[in-house]
Amino acid sequence: MTDAEFLNTIGIDSLEVNLDRDSMAVLMRKVISSTMDSFSAEGLEYLDPNSPCLFISNHRDIFLDAALLQLALYEYGLPATNILAGQNLMTHPLMVKVCRTNQVFCIERGNGGKFAFYKSMLETSQRIHDMIINKNESVWIAQRNGRTKNGIDQTDPAVLKMLALCGDGEWKEKISRLHIVPMSISYEWESCDYLKARELYLSAQGPYQKEPGEDIRSIMTGIKQWKGKVHLTISEPIKNTEISTPEALAQILDMRIGQGTYLWPNNYIASDILNNSQQYADLYTASQFHDFEAHLQQCESLYRTQLLHIYAGKLIQK
């Protein structure tokens, strides 16, 4: 992808453009107006501008999930949050600039063995605690490493264990200090669905190896593709009395994130096609069924079953 193509996708004229929170809001509204029917958010009243929190969210799009949260916070008059992301975001000079404007801090995965991995996780834990407890700033983090590919949002207890690698006290005490707030984001048309379906198919054949430039292609596809309706839900903060073990907290987060996730006609249609049934036929129209079928036909035939599972997977948690 050339610089010109990248800039055109983002909606910016030059790498020299000065980005700030106001201009990022304009940029995100432009993405919404050109690629969505609507964007809505609920639950922002749970947030206290003077009390930082740790947003733990499902993860469907590399860039947009957290960027849309930033916009919702901006429009509600709340401070921006820091965003924890992988190094795969830093794949283009403008993306670096956009990430810095959005308060993104990247982590190294620690690919040099167990010690390097532990060191990376410890540094990440320390940074999160420092931002929330010492700097009085919120942080966004995904519930698992990487995006959900199969349509099922599940919290990895290892993420919750990582959060308590630093600090004093027992695991429960450390986690309580972070003030966890579950977040859900729902796309009517799943971000990068064709690309995810392909990856799911190839992963079933053997170890999946990313191609050069694959991450930037996913970022750009997620920004450019049509998404229909998009909804963001902030759920009630986790109470200290709900925190016991990483595994139990993961289940609570899965429940809250699942409850906050919107189900669209596409999800019901995909389930009915997979099961050759009309179980949910009263929840979508003939026109919506036709539109989904047309979308399905645009996907390479080898990957269509995986595409259906991406959309139907959300019903499993409901």
Side-chain angles (χ1 to χ4, degrees), residues 196-208 302-303 306:
K196 289 177 181 178
R198 174 182 178 274
E199 181 175 337
L200 286 171
Y201 176 83
L202 294 177
S203 295
Q205 314 306 310
Y208 181 76
L302 280 175
Y303 314 145
Q306 285 73 24

Side-chain angles (χ1 to χ4, degrees), residues 278-297:
Q278 292 190 323
Q279 179 180 357
Y280 300 114
D282 59 334
L283 297 175
Y284 53 83
T285 66
S287 176
Q288 288 167 334
F289 187 91
H290 173 78
D291 289 344
F292 186 84
E293 273 201 320
H295 186 74
L296 181 64
Q297 293 304 313

Side-chain angles (χ1 to χ4, degrees), residues 119-191:
K119 183 174 180 289
S120 172
M121 294 301 97
L122 176 60
E123 290 174 353
T124 301
S125 181
Q126 290 170 334
R127 193 162 185 183
I128 291 171
H129 278 258
D130 181 57
M131 287 178 173
I132 293 174
I133 297 169
N134 299 325
K135 296 181 178 177
N136 209 43
E137 298 175 356
S138 294
V139 177
W140 177 97
I141 187 172
Q143 67 183 155
R144 44 162 290 166
N145 179 18
R147 291 168 296 158
T148 296
K149 304 286 183 15
N150 62 2
I152 300 174
D153 299 315
Q154 283 187 314
T155 305
D156 185 352
V159 171
L160 304 178
K161 293 174 183 177
M162 175 275 293
L163 293 171
L165 286 177
C166 71
D168 299 323
E170 299 295 324
W171 180 84
K172 179 178 177 178
E173 295 175 73
K174 297 177 185 180
I175 294 297
S176 297
R177 296 186 193 112
L178 299 178
H179 308 294
I180 292 174
V181 174
M183 179 191 126
S184 315
I185 190 158
S186 314
Y187 297 88
E188 183 179 16
W189 295 98
E190 178 78 8
S191 174

Side-chain angles (χ1 to χ4, degrees), residues 249-304:
L249 179 55
Q251 291 182 352
I252 292 171
L253 284 165
D254 288 349
M255 180 182 67
R256 295 274 180 84
I257 290 171
Q259 289 172 342
T261 301
Y262 267 38
L263 289 171
W264 312 103
N266 289 342
N267 305 121
Y268 297 111
I269 293 167
S271 180
D272 276 356
I273 293 175
L274 268 176
N275 297 310
N276 193 27
S277 74
Q278 292 190 323
Q279 179 180 357
Y280 300 114
D282 59 334
L283 297 175
Y284 53 83
T285 66
S287 176
Q288 288 167 334
F289 187 91
H290 173 78
D291 289 344
F292 186 84
E293 273 201 320
H295 186 74
L296 181 64
Q297 293 304 313
Q298 292 297 312
C299 183
E300 190 168 335
S301 58
L302 280 175
Y303 314 145
R304 287 175 189 165

